[in-house]
Amino acid sequence: MEQKKVVMDADGLDRSLTRIAYEILEKNGGSEDLVLVGIQTGGVFLARRLRKKISSMEGRKIPLGILDITLYRDDLLTSHRKPLLGKTDIPFSLDGKKVVLVDDVLFTGRTIRAAMDALIDFGRPKLIQLAVLIDRGHRELPIRADFVGKNLPSSLWEAVSVNLTEKNGADEVVIEESR
Amino acid sequence: MKLKRKDLLGIQELSVEEINLVLDTAESFLEVSTREIKKVPTLRGKTVVNLFYEPSTRTRTSFEIAGKRLSADTINISTSTSSVVKGETLIDTAKNLEAMNPDIIVIRHSAAGAPHILAGLLRQSIINAGDGAHEHPTQALLDMMTIRSKKGRIAGLHVAIVGDIAHSRVARSNIHGLSKMGAHVSVAGPATMIPRDIEKMGVRSYTRIEEAIRDADIIMMLRIQTERERQSIFPSLREYAQFFSLNSRNIDLASKEVLIMHPGPMNRGVEISPEIADGPRSIILDQVTNGVAVRMALLYLMTGGSNP
């Protein structure tokens, strides 16, 4: 039997993002040199929402980049199917910037490893921080998030999906049995 | 997603979905070439051999740059400096290359079907970089990418191809591709340069450039192979230029938004006048830029995993 459980609703999701926005500003002492980079595809929508919140708190527009990590994946040469390549668009220099990477779900950490390698190819940021809506555990690399919406202990057989209105209808986080 | 094939031999056998997959992927790859560090680690440890039995600067360099920007090791073999001059056959050369375990072999050969022979013989992926007067699939893909990005679509456009259609693999691959994608293609050239059955490929054929380019959205000029002047296919370059060159007099027959393409190398003043080649309607250098992206997309899509 398939079990589907909503673990975060639209209000909860918005509150989490608001808190993360404040935490980013608090930890970095404001928004000077701050840039956001969303990871394709879920992270891009969340990064846009965070940017809107931070920009209105600070009264100025925070730069936003889009990163597709496909070309930096570590399973490209072993897997049969090729992931569809998305667009990367970072229209500003990362040199000396405080970069906040944004993704929807933190799981094995391999995506973040790939993202950091990609960012370094674009320049030398002053620092890189990580913001995720959901941390579901099961790390395979020594990586942790600086800003977390919700820690969600999960089993490997469960699928965690972040649904967003920009992507697939309603704002909610769902966990379900995937076998 | 992956191309459902081991080799890329021609546009004729590609589906619309496969063409769209290559073009979409290539558009994403454009960005890599604009970075300060123009290199991604994707094909680290892969080897691409460029085996060119015909002279080429643009295509060979384009494949080499594409491979290098993906971190593949690229090796160029041009036959004038290789064991081919010592009399080695294509098949022996290929078997020897296979024994060194490359991943992709890119081949250009003056004989139509040479890439197909290698594809049947070798376990490596083969990419046809031009075989005789048969096909030049990567050129057609980069042309379609250029048209799509400039016009926003391919379907419904009128594309005129002018020149030596009979001897042109570029024309053949483009006719296959553009027709599949829903464009209307017309061709023009001297009667000796138009294949008799060309209309079976679904194109309209003319013996005057003015008729072919009327209301065209895209005009693709082909290089006139000057070495053919001796073969009495046309009387003289001068006469050819007089009747079939694209210039400021006849270009007004085309659509006001017409764009001009040429696969290179150009004979300035023969098939195309300099003011057109360098003018605001020319997208000839966009073709070259997109060529690298298309070849990166193909190398990416055709490597990795064992073939199903």
Side-chain angles (χ1 to χ4, degrees):
Chain A
M1 198 188 106
E2 204 162 286
Q3 290 282 341
K4 187 172 154 180
K5 207 171 103 193
V6 176
V7 290
M8 191 187 270
D9 62 9
D11 287 342
L13 198 150
D14 189 59
R15 276 194 294 271
S16 281
L17 288 178
T18 305
R19 175 174 51 78
I20 289 174
Y22 279 117
E23 284 178 3
I24 289 173
L25 289 174
E26 184 188 14
K27 183 159 180 150
N28 292 294
S31 64
E32 202 182 336
D33 290 332
L34 190 71
V35 305
L36 300 175
V37 174
I39 299 176
Q40 290 269 33
T41 52
V44 175
F45 301 123
L46 293 176
R48 287 202 184 112
R49 293 193 192 186
L50 276 176
R51 175 207 214 184
K52 211 171 151 198
K53 288 180 188 295
I54 296 175
S55 297
S56 75
M57 290 167 191
E58 290 291 288
R60 65 181 202 90
K61 218 155 178 143
I62 308 297
L64 170 71
I66 294 172
L67 182 63
D68 183 275
I69 58 100
T70 306
L71 299 171
Y72 291 81
R73 288 171 66 125
D74 57 11
D75 58 354
L76 281 178
L77 298 179
T78 48
S79 76
H80 289 308
R81 46 181 285 281
K82 280 292 163 69
L84 206 55
L85 189 60
K87 293 257 190 314
T88 291
D89 183 20
I90 303 181
F92 44 82
S93 164
L94 294 183
D95 290 334
K97 292 289 189 300
K98 300 174 181 171
V99 179
V100 179
L101 265 177
V102 183
D103 205 359
D104 47 7
V105 180
L106 178 58
F107 187 20
T108 62
R110 288 177 191 267
T111 298
I112 305 306
R113 192 285 304 163
M116 287 194 289
D117 279 354
L119 286 183
I120 301 294
D121 276 359
F122 278 90
R124 187 179 188 279
K126 182 178 169 62
L127 55 85
I128 300 176
Q129 294 166 346
L130 175 62
V132 298
L133 186 63
I134 300 292
D135 181 349
R136 61 169 294 188
H138 303 289
R139 217 77 77 237
E140 294 169 3
L141 295 170
I143 279 169
R144 60 159 185 81
D146 301 87
F147 313 102
V148 180
K150 186 181 175 66
N151 284 296
L152 184 65
S154 63
S155 92
L156 279 171
W157 316 119
E158 288 168 320
V160 177
S161 342
V162 175
N163 298 328
L164 298 168
T165 49
E166 298 94 319
K167 193 170 70 172
N168 46 7
D171 278 355
E172 59 179 13
V173 180
V174 177
I175 184 164
E176 60 194 306
E177 206 60 45
S178 71
R179 273 206 307 194
Chain B
M1 282 289 224
K2 186 167 179 177
L3 280 187
K4 293 185 226 72
R5 53 189 70 250
K6 167 178 158 280
D7 312 293
L8 177 68
L9 302 177
I11 298 290
Q12 190 171 12
E13 58 262 27
L14 288 188
S15 67
V16 171
E17 292 70 39
E18 286 175 297
I19 292 173
N20 276 323
L21 171 63
V22 175
L23 302 192
D24 292 344
T25 307
E27 282 191 4
S28 295
F29 269 117
L30 270 181
E31 175 267 335
V32 176
S33 295
T34 66
R35 296 184 191 177
E36 213 167 295
I37 299 175
K38 302 179 210 19
K39 206 179 192 60
V40 290
T42 316
L43 295 190
R44 229 169 19 171
K46 296 280 173 186
T47 305
V48 180
V49 174
N50 291 324
L51 180 58
F52 276 65
Y53 283 85
E54 274 188 351
S56 162
T57 308
R58 202 175 338 262
T59 305
R60 188 188 53 70
T61 310
S62 184
F63 267 109
E64 186 177 355
I65 288 180
K68 288 190 161 150
R69 291 198 177 152
L70 288 170
S71 298
D73 296 308
T74 59
I75 286 139
N76 297 315
I77 300 172
S78 64
T79 51
S80 55
T81 56
S82 72
S83 53
V84 173
V85 291
K86 298 179 187 168
E88 189 171 59
T89 67
L90 169 65
I91 290 173
D92 282 334
T93 303
K95 291 241 165 209
N96 277 278
L97 286 175
E98 181 179 43
M100 293 185 234
N101 220 8
D103 299 281
I104 291 192
I105 296 176
V106 179
I107 178 173
R108 165 168 291 186
H109 201 287
S110 57
H116 304 66
I117 293 178
L118 295 198
L121 221 54
L122 308 184
R123 61 177 188 277
Q124 280 81 12
S125 289
I126 308 296
I127 297 180
N128 180 359
D131 62 328
H134 177 227
E135 280 237 37
H136 190 353
T138 59
Q139 177 72 42
L141 288 166
L142 75 88
D143 288 340
M144 288 190 277
M145 176 186 178
T146 308
I147 294 171
R148 201 179 76 165
S149 74
K150 290 285 174 187
K151 293 284 191 189
R153 68 197 163 105
I154 296 174
L157 294 180
H158 172 201
V159 182
I161 307 178
V162 181
D164 187 351
I165 308 295
H167 297 96
S168 174
R169 53 196 175 209
V170 174
R172 197 172 301 270
S173 288
N174 263 307
I175 290 170
H176 283 307
L178 291 167
S179 315
K180 272 182 221 258
M181 302 302 281
H184 309 289
V185 181
S186 59
V187 300
T192 48
M193 295 183 180
I194 303 281
R196 203 171 295 135
D197 290 337
I198 188 75
E199 292 188 331
K200 284 191 184 153
M201 290 182 81
V203 307
R204 281 163 299 167
S205 150
Y206 302 97
T207 46
R208 284 167 50 84
I209 183 174
E210 291 81 3
E211 292 170 317
I213 66 173
R214 197 176 301 278
D215 299 321
D217 302 296
I218 301 282
I219 303 175
M220 217 177 258
M221 299 305 294
L222 300 176
R223 186 177 90 91
I224 196 74
Q225 289 161 297
T226 51
E227 56 273 21
R228 294 194 193 280
E229 191 175 5
R230 274 172 264 118
Q231 301 168 1
S232 66
I233 289 173
F234 61 106
S236 73
L237 282 179
R238 228 181 107 151
E239 189 179 316
Y240 181 87
Q242 200 177 339
F243 287 104
F244 288 99
S245 81
L246 184 66
N247 52 49
S248 46
R249 287 190 311 281
N250 56 25
I251 196 172
D252 290 336
L253 292 167
S255 144
K256 274 205 270 303
E257 276 82 48
V258 70
L259 297 174
I260 311 303
M261 304 173 74
H262 193 299
M266 276 187 279
N267 297 302
R268 287 173 174 266
V270 182
E271 69 264 7
I272 188 165
S273 68
E275 75 268 19
I276 300 295
D278 304 326
R281 311 225 146 275
S282 166
I283 51 173
I284 294 170
L285 293 177
D286 297 277
Q287 291 174 267
V288 180
T289 302
N290 290 340
V292 173
V294 154
R295 289 166 181 126
M296 288 173 84
L298 287 168
L299 294 178
Y300 167 72
L301 290 168
M302 293 176 71
T303 48
S306 43
N307 287 299

